[in-house]
Amino acid sequence: MKTNKLRYSFLLAFLCAFIFVACSTHKDKENSFSFAPLSTSANSEASILNIAIQKTKFDISTSSPSASDTKTQSKDSKQKVTLIYYMPSECLSCASSLVHLDTLSKNVPLLDIKVVASSKLKAALQDDYTGKLPIYIDTSSEDLEAKTKESSSKKPLEKKDFINVLGTNLGIEIKPDEPFFVLLDKEHQAVKSYEGIILEENLELDSRALVAR
C-alpha cells in the first residue's frame, strides 16, 4: 500500500514539474519578439533584432535575415550598456530625438543604442531619416490584430504586443504618444526608464555612470 502511495507521489511531482516547464516555455515565447530593420537600399542585409523580456531582465541578440545564424553578446559587447528607445505610433516628436541619439552614440562608445519604432511610423522614417543608428520596426501590434481577427471568439488570444509586454514587465504604463527609453546594465538588467523628451546630457550622464560600474 505504501509503495502505491509513493509511486503516486512521484507521478504527481513529475506532472507538476512538467506543467511548470511547459508554462514557463509558453511564457518565454509570449515575451519574445523579432524586429526587422527599417528597409533602405543601404541595409538590405541588416540583422534582425531579437528581444525577450522576463520581468526586468532582457535577452538581446541579432540574427541574419537569410540564415538561422544568431549572434549573442561578444566579449566586447559585454562591456557595453544598452539603451532601448521605443517610438510609439502616436508620437509626433519622437523622430526629433534621433539626432541627439546619434550624437550620444558618438560621445559614449560603450553605449549600445537600439531604436524600435511602431510600424505606423515606418513610411515617415523611410522618407526622412538620415541618421546612422539602425532603426527596427515593431509589427507586433499589427500581427496581434491580424491573429485576433482569425482566432475564434471562444478562445481569446493570449499573445501580447511588444509595448504591452514591456510595460507589464517593468510595472509601468507606457503612453502611445510619448517616447520611451529603458537603460540596461552590462547584464541587460533594466536599471532605469524614462518617458517623454529627455535631455541628451541626462542620458549621457546616466549611461556613463552605468559604464563605470
Side-chain angles (χ1 to χ4, degrees), residues 152-164:
S152 169
S153 58
K154 296 181 181 179
K155 186 178 180 181
L157 200 65
E158 296 178 0
K159 175 106 176 148
K160 298 178 182 179
D161 62 72
F162 176 69
I163 196 64
N164 284 338

Side-chain angles (χ1 to χ4, degrees), residues 50-114:
N50 306 299
I51 299 179
I53 313 169
Q54 283 298 327
K55 295 185 179 179
T56 58
K57 176 71 174 179
F58 287 65
D59 182 13
I60 301 174
S61 63
T62 57
S63 56
S64 169
S66 57
S68 58
D69 179 37
T70 299
K71 297 179 181 179
T72 54
Q73 284 182 294
S74 65
K75 185 177 180 180
D76 291 336
S77 67
K78 288 182 180 180
Q79 302 303 314
K80 293 185 176 183
V81 299
T82 304
L83 180 68
I84 296 176
Y85 176 48
Y86 189 82
M87 303 169 63
S89 59
E90 297 175 32
C91 182
L92 302 178
S93 59
C94 280
S96 62
S97 296
L98 294 174
V99 175
H100 299 286
L101 291 180
D102 268 325
T103 304
L104 181 61
S105 67
K106 295 173 185 175
N107 292 343
V108 189
L110 289 178
L111 177 64
D112 185 16
I113 301 176
K114 305 294 187 186

Side-chain angles (χ1 to χ4, degrees), residues 138-154:
D138 173 23
T139 60
S140 59
S141 59
E142 286 186 352
D143 295 340
L144 178 64
E145 184 178 350
K147 290 178 182 178
T148 301
K149 290 179 180 179
E150 295 174 1
S151 65
S152 169
S153 58
K154 296 181 181 179

Side-chain angles (χ1 to χ4, degrees), residues 7-211:
R7 287 177 179 173
Y8 177 77
S9 298
F10 277 127
L11 179 61
L12 185 61
F14 174 78
L15 288 174
C16 289
F18 177 79
I19 292 172
F20 175 78
V21 171
C23 289
S24 298
T25 303
H26 179 64
K27 187 175 182 180
D28 288 344
K29 289 181 178 179
E30 280 188 351
N31 293 349
S32 300
F33 300 89
S34 294
F35 308 105
L38 180 69
S39 57
T40 65
S41 57
N43 70 347
S44 58
E45 289 299 316
S47 297
I48 293 169
L49 175 66
N50 306 299
I51 299 179
I53 313 169
Q54 283 298 327
K55 295 185 179 179
T56 58
K57 176 71 174 179
F58 287 65
D59 182 13
I60 301 174
S61 63
T62 57
S63 56
S64 169
S66 57
S68 58
D69 179 37
T70 299
K71 297 179 181 179
T72 54
Q73 284 182 294
S74 65
K75 185 177 180 180
D76 291 336
S77 67
K78 288 182 180 180
Q79 302 303 314
K80 293 185 176 183
V81 299
T82 304
L83 180 68
I84 296 176
Y85 176 48
Y86 189 82
M87 303 169 63
S89 59
E90 297 175 32
C91 182
L92 302 178
S93 59
C94 280
S96 62
S97 296
L98 294 174
V99 175
H100 299 286
L101 291 180
D102 268 325
T103 304
L104 181 61
S105 67
K106 295 173 185 175
N107 292 343
V108 189
L110 289 178
L111 177 64
D112 185 16
I113 301 176
K114 305 294 187 186
V115 181
V116 180
S118 165
S119 60
K120 292 183 179 180
L121 302 177
K122 182 178 179 179
L125 289 169
Q126 282 179 321
D127 291 339
D128 302 329
Y129 182 60
T130 57
K132 301 285 178 136
L133 291 172
I135 297 178
Y136 300 90
I137 301 301
D138 173 23
T139 60
S140 59
S141 59
E142 286 186 352
D143 295 340
L144 178 64
E145 184 178 350
K147 290 178 182 178
T148 301
K149 290 179 180 179
E150 295 174 1
S151 65
S152 169
S153 58
K154 296 181 181 179
K155 186 178 180 181
L157 200 65
E158 296 178 0
K159 175 106 176 148
K160 298 178 182 179
D161 62 72
F162 176 69
I163 196 64
N164 284 338
V165 167
L166 184 62
T168 299
N169 280 269
L170 295 178
I172 54 179
E173 183 179 352
I174 301 175
K175 299 174 184 176
D177 58 347
E178 293 282 355
F180 186 78
F181 303 79
V182 185
L183 186 60
L184 313 178
D185 64 17
K186 297 170 186 177
E187 302 299 323
H188 285 170
Q189 186 77 31
V191 295
K192 194 169 185 178
S193 64
Y194 319 76
E195 190 170 45
I197 300 299
I198 306 299
L199 290 176
E200 179 188 317
E201 292 79 6
N202 290 349
L203 291 173
E204 181 172 344
L205 185 65
D206 289 345
S207 58
R208 284 188 183 279
L210 202 54
V211 167

